[in-house]
Amino acid sequence: MTHYDPDNALGLMLGGGGARGAYQAGVLRGIARRFPELSFPILSGISAGAVNTIHLATHAGPLTAAAADLAALWLSLSPERVYDVRATPLLKNAFGWGARLMSGGRTGKHREPMRGMVNTEPLRQFLNGVLDRAPDGTLPGIERNLERGVLKAVALSATSYTTGQSVTWVEGRDIELWQRPQRRTEAAKLTVEHVMASSALPMLFSAVQVGAEWYGDGGVRLTAPLSPALHLGASRILTISTKYPRTRAEADTPLTAGYPPPAQVLSVLYNAIFLDLIDEDILRMKKVNQLLKQIPPEHRAKMRDVDILVLRPSRDLGKLAAEFEPRLPRFFRYLTRGLGTKQTASPDILSLVLFQADYLKRLIDIGEADAEAHGDAIAAFLSRPAADTLEKR
C-alpha cells in the first residue's frame, strides 16, 4: 500500500445514485484485482458514494480486502435493511402527504412534521452495525489510516436545508478549509450521521440533523462535485460515474408515450441532481486543462493541470432496473407503480431505491467487468507522470 505523496496525490471521487452505488463497488473490486497495491489518499463522496467513501476511509486492509468487503456489504443489503417496507408506515406516509397538501397549512401546533416518504432508520442501524465506531460515534478507522500515512483526507458533502448551502465535512491532516458562494467546509470527526445526511434522497428519505442544521443529499447543491478533491490537493482524480453514456440515437429515443408520468419527471430531475452536474464539472476541468497547456507554467499562478479518468457503466442501469422491479416488496411496488414506473422505458427513479440483492449483484458484476475491460486505460492513467500543478474552485 502506497503512502501519501503530495506531488502525486491520487483522489477518488464517488458521486450519487442510490442503489447504483453497488456499481461503484464492482468497479473498485475490478480495479483492486489488477492493482492490489493501489491506494487513494484523498477520498471524496456524495450521496451513495458517501457510503463507499467512508468504507474505504475506515478499512484497515489493502484495496483488495477493502473492495471485497465493500462488495459484500452491498450484497448483504435488501430493501428491508434500507427503509421500512411495511405497508402500514408506507400507507401512513402517503396519506399524511396527501392530508398535508389538502390542509392549506393548518397543521396544528403539535402535529408531527412531514418527513421522507420512507423511514431510513434500518439503514442507520445497518451502517452502525458494519462500521467500527467509537463510543462517541466517531469512526476510529479514519484516524488510524491518517496516522499510517495511507490517507490524507476524506470529505463528505451534504446540502443544508436549514441554510440552503452545500456543506463539505472534512477529516484529515493539515487541511485548509475553503469557502465559496453557497458552499462551505467544516472540519469534522465523521460519523454515520454524516453519511446518512449525505445520502438522504430529497423527499424520499428523511432529512438528517447534524449539529443545529438539517441536511439532505449532497448532490442537490454541490455545483462543482470535483472541488473537494481538488482543494484537498489531488493532482489526479479517478471518478466512477453511474450514468450510462447514451448514444445520440439512444438519447433521441422517447422513453414514454404521451404526457410524462411522475416517475419520468422525477427520473429527469434526479439525474440532473446526481449525475449531470458531475459530467458538467468534468467537462469544465478538461477545458481548463486544455487552456493551461497553452500557458507557460510560470504564468499559471495557482492554476494546475489535473489529470482525470472517468469510468462509466456499459449498461443503462436505469433500464436494467425495470427487469428487477417485480421483486420489490409488494406494497412498495404498488406505490412506485402508482408514480408510473411501468410507463417509462427507463425508470431511473426506481434504480435509486432498488436495493434488491439480485439487482445489486448484477450492478457489481457489471462494474467489475467494466473495470477489467478498461484495465489498460486505468494502468495508463496511473502510470502517467503527475501534471505540473486547476484553480481551486
Side-chain angles (χ1 to χ4, degrees), residues 190-211:
L190 296 175
T191 68
V192 167
E193 293 308 298
H194 293 98
V195 180
M196 291 293 296
S198 180
S199 56
L201 296 169
M203 307 304 288
L204 292 176
F205 294 173
S206 298
V208 176
Q209 187 173 17
V210 177

Side-chain angles (χ1 to χ4, degrees), residues 14 25 132 140 200 263 307 347 353 387:
L14 299 175
D132 177 28
D307 203 359
V353 297

Side-chain angles (χ1 to χ4, degrees), residues 23 314-315 317 320 362-371:
Y23 172 79
S314 56
R315 290 284 308 274
L317 306 185
L320 184 64
R362 187 73 169 274
L363 297 188
I364 290 172
D365 291 343
I366 293 173
E368 191 168 9
D370 288 348

Side-chain angles (χ1 to χ4, degrees), residues 315-385:
R315 290 284 308 274
D316 189 323
L317 306 185
K319 288 185 176 181
L320 184 64
E323 299 178 19
F324 296 86
E325 183 267 353
R327 301 178 182 84
L328 274 171
R330 180 178 298 178
F331 193 74
F332 190 79
R333 183 176 69 243
Y334 175 82
L335 292 178
T336 58
R337 288 183 178 182
L339 292 174
T341 53
K342 298 292 287 184
Q343 298 170 262
T344 172
S346 184
D348 290 349
I349 185 66
L350 189 61
S351 70
L352 300 179
V353 297
L354 195 63
F355 293 93
Q356 296 289 117
D358 47 3
Y359 179 63
L360 299 177
K361 183 179 186 306
R362 187 73 169 274
L363 297 188
I364 290 172
D365 291 343
I366 293 173
E368 191 168 9
D370 288 348
E372 293 174 356
H374 293 90
D376 291 343
I378 298 170
F381 168 75
L382 295 175
S383 63
R384 283 197 292 268

Side-chain angles (χ1 to χ4, degrees), residues 86-114:
R86 294 175 298 165
T88 299
L90 289 172
L91 194 61
K92 180 181 177 181
N93 275 351
F95 276 111
W97 278 82
R100 181 60 61 94
L101 290 173
M102 298 299 293
S103 71
R106 295 185 294 273
T107 59
K109 184 181 296 186
H110 302 293
R111 189 168 182 176
E112 177 72 14
M114 289 306 300

Side-chain angles (χ1 to χ4, degrees), residues 140-160:
I142 297 176
E143 182 64 30
R144 287 194 293 265
N145 284 332
L146 290 171
E147 292 177 351
R148 293 168 56 210
V150 297
L151 180 67
K152 191 225 176 182
V154 54
L156 302 183
S157 297
T159 301
S160 172

